Amino acid sequence: MTLTRTASAPANQTPTSPTRRYAWGTALPPLTAAALAMVVAPFVPLLSPLLLALVAGTVIANSHFVRLSVVADHARATPFLLRLGVAALGLQLPFGDIVGIGPAGLVVIVTTVAVTFRTTLAIGRRLGLDEGFVVLLSAGFSICGAAAIAGVQDSVRAKEKFVALAVAMVTIFGSAMIVLVPWLAGVIGLSDHQAAIWAGASIHEVAQVAAAGSLIGGPAVALAMTVKLGRVALLAPISALLAKGAKGTSAPLVPWFILAFAVAVAVRSAGLLPAQVLEGTGLATTLLLAAGMYGLGMGIRAKDLWPLPVQALILATVSTLVAGGTSLALVLALA
C-alpha cells in the first residue's frame, strides 16, 4: 500500500512525505476511538477514558474485524501516541506541588516505588517468569501502569504477548483497587488526607487513582493525583537505569519521550503556560494516552492470555499487596 502511494505521488513531494502521510492516517482511528472514550467516560464513573479505549481495542482485536488489513494498520501509530502522551504528562506535574506534599509524602512515594519495584523483580525471578515480563510488571505496578510499561519497553525488548499480559495485569488489579482502597480506608479509619495519599501511592494507573480519589471525596482527588504524579516522575530515573543495564539493545540511555517529560515538568514548573493552555494540554494528554491504550488493547489476544498464567497472577497479587501494604504502613507512621 505504501509503495503504491509513493509511486503515484506528485513529483514535487519528497520521497518520505507519502509515508509520513500514511503513518498519520493510521493514527486517526486510534485518536477517534480515544475521543469517543472521552465522551462516554463521564457516564461510566468507574471507567476512565484510558480503560474504555483499552477495552475497545481488545474487543476489536478479538473480533473478526481484526482480519481486515485496514484495522490491523490502526495499531501502527499507537506506540508513538502513547509515548507522546507520557511526555505530555509532565505538563500536569508542577515540581512545586510535589515538594508541597512535604517530606513525609515524599518518603511514602520514593520508598513505595523502590520497595515495590525491587520486590516484584526478585519474586518474579524466583518464580521463573520471563525477565522482560517481570521488568514490565515491576515498572507498571510500582510507577504508573501502562505508561510505565511503554516507558521501559524499548529497554526491555519484551515480546508483544508479554507486554499485553503486563497491561492486562495492571488493568485487572488496578481496577480492583479503585473500589478496595477507598473501602479499606474507611474500614481502617483513615482520614481523607491519609486515604488520598495511600491511593496515590499504591494504585497502578493515573486514571485509576483519579477514580479512587473521587470515591474518597472532598479534596482527595487533587492530593491523590499529586502523589501519583510524584510516582510518575520516578519513571525517568528508573527508565535510565534499565537502559543502562540493558544488554544487546540499541535503546538510548534515556528515551526521547522521557527527556520530553522532564522538559514538560520544567515548563510547567516555570509557569510559562497560562491556565487555558494547560487545560487544553490536559485534554490532549488524555486523548494521546487513550489512543495509546487503544493500541495496547489491539495487542491483547484472548487466546494468548487465557488461561492467565498462574505465576503471573501470583506475581501481580504479591506486587499489589507490597505496593498497598508498604504505602499503608508509611501513611500510618508518617502522614
Side-chain angles (χ1 to χ4, degrees), residues 87-102 106 109 222-223 225-233 261-273 275 278-279 281-282:
L89 269 177
L91 292 174
Q92 314 304 314
L93 183 62
F95 187 73
D97 283 5
I98 299 178
V99 175
I101 298 173
L106 295 176
I109 292 170
L223 178 57
M225 288 296 290
T226 301
V227 173
K228 180 60 180 178
L229 291 175
R231 289 168 65 193
V232 173
F261 172 87
V263 171
V265 171
V267 170
R268 175 62 191 272
S269 301
L272 300 178
L273 299 177
L278 288 174
E279 183 178 353
T281 58

Side-chain angles (χ1 to χ4, degrees), residues 13 19 31 54 57 67 71 114 130 142 180 200 211 225 232 241 270 305:
Q13 287 186 346
T19 302
L31 289 171
L54 177 72
R67 298 177 182 176
V71 174
D130 177 84
S142 64
L180 287 175
M225 288 296 290
V232 173
L241 287 174
L305 298 179

Side-chain angles (χ1 to χ4, degrees), residues 9 11 59 104 110 136 170 185 212 215 227 241 247 268 270 295 311 318-319:
V59 169
V110 175
L136 291 175
V170 162
L215 293 180
V227 173
L241 287 174
K247 297 180 180 179
R268 175 62 191 272
Q311 293 94 330
V318 172
S319 185

Side-chain angles (χ1 to χ4, degrees), residues 73-209:
D73 287 341
H74 291 177
R76 289 188 179 183
T78 52
F80 173 75
L81 296 175
L82 184 56
R83 287 160 174 75
L84 196 61
V86 172
L89 269 177
L91 292 174
Q92 314 304 314
L93 183 62
F95 187 73
D97 283 5
I98 299 178
V99 175
I101 298 173
L106 295 176
V107 169
V108 173
I109 292 170
V110 175
T111 304
T112 300
V113 169
V115 171
T116 304
F117 187 83
R118 295 300 305 176
T119 302
T120 306
L121 275 180
I123 295 176
R125 289 165 177 166
R126 289 291 296 272
L127 289 172
L129 289 164
D130 177 84
E131 178 71 11
F133 170 71
V134 172
V135 175
L136 291 175
L137 193 76
S138 300
F141 277 49
S142 64
I143 306 173
C144 55
I149 291 171
V152 303
Q153 183 180 354
D154 289 340
S155 299
V156 174
R157 302 295 187 191
K159 295 180 180 178
E160 184 175 333
K161 65 177 181 179
F162 292 129
V163 176
L165 182 58
V167 172
M169 294 293 97
V170 162
T171 303
I172 293 169
F173 283 82
S175 297
M177 292 180 75
I178 293 175
V179 177
L180 287 175
V181 168
W183 175 71
L184 287 173
V187 171
I188 297 170
L190 298 181
S191 66
D192 287 351
H193 178 83
Q194 291 175 314
I197 294 177
W198 185 30
S202 62
I203 299 177
H204 310 323
E205 285 278 358
V206 173
Q208 292 165 349
V209 171

Side-chain angles (χ1 to χ4, degrees), residues 10-28:
N12 62 345
Q13 287 186 346
T14 63
T16 57
S17 60
T19 302
R20 288 177 181 172
R21 189 170 61 249
Y22 178 75
W24 280 111
T26 64
L28 290 178

